[in-house]
C-alpha cells in the first residue's frame, strides 16, 4: 500500500480520481453481471425479461439566456430578467422609470 502521507497534493488527487474511476467501472460491471443473471434465470423457466433503464436527466450546464434588458446609456450593462435585478436597474426603477423602457 502507498504511504499517503508521503504523496503530494497533486499525487493524492490523482489517486482519488483513479479510485473513483475504478469504483464506477466495478459498479457498471457488477450491474451488467446482475442483469445477465436475471435474464439467464428468467430464460431457465421460459420467461423473457425486459429491463428498462431509468431515463437520465439532461443537464443543461452553461445554457445561455438571452438578454432581456439593456441600460439606456451604457449598453455594456445588461440583464436577462432572471434573479435579483442589478443595481443599475434598481436605481432606474427607483427614479420612476418603467422596466419595459429598457427591454431589448
Amino acid at each position: 500500500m502507498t504511504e499517503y502521507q508521503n504523496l503530494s497534493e497533486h499525487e493524492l488527487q490523482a489517486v482519488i480520481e483513479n479510485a473513483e474511476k475504478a469504483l464506477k467501472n466495478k459498479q457498471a460491471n457488477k450491474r451488467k453481471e446482475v442483469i445477465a443473471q436475471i435474464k439467464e434465470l428468467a430464460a431457465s423457466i421460459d420467461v423473457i425479461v425486459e429491463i428498462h433503464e431509468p431515463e437520465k436527466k439532461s443537464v443543461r450546464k452553461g445554457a445561455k439566456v438571452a438578454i432581456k434588458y439593456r441600460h439606456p446609456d451604457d449598453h455594456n450593462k445588461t440583464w436577462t430578467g432572471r434573479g435579483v435585478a442589478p443595481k443599475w436597474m434598481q436605481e432606474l426603477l427607483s427614479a420612476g422609470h418603467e422596466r419595459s423602457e429598457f427591454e431589448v
Side-chain angles (χ1 to χ4, degrees), residues 1-43:
M1 233 350 159
T2 305
E3 280 284 331
Y4 296 114
Q5 295 295 330
N6 296 334
L7 297 177
S8 70
E9 289 179 24
H10 180 71
E11 290 169 326
L12 281 171
Q13 188 62 43
V15 168
I16 290 168
E17 289 170 7
N18 290 334
E20 286 175 345
K21 286 179 189 175
L23 178 60
K24 284 182 183 179
N25 287 337
K26 282 195 179 268
Q27 289 170 335
N29 289 336
K30 176 73 172 187
R31 182 179 180 84
K32 288 177 187 174
E33 288 174 20
V34 169
I35 290 171
Q37 289 173 348
I38 291 169
K39 288 182 178 180
E40 186 179 323
L41 284 170

Side-chain angles (χ1 to χ4, degrees), residues 79-90:
W79 180 42
T80 62
R82 292 187 177 183
V84 178
K87 288 183 182 180
W88 64 264
M89 176 64 84
Q90 292 173 2

Side-chain angles (χ1 to χ4, degrees), residues 53-69:
E53 298 286 331
E55 291 184 27
K56 294 182 179 177
K57 295 180 182 179
S58 64
V59 178
R60 292 180 28 173
K61 290 185 178 178
K64 294 285 183 179
V65 177
I67 295 169
K68 193 169 180 181
Y69 302 99

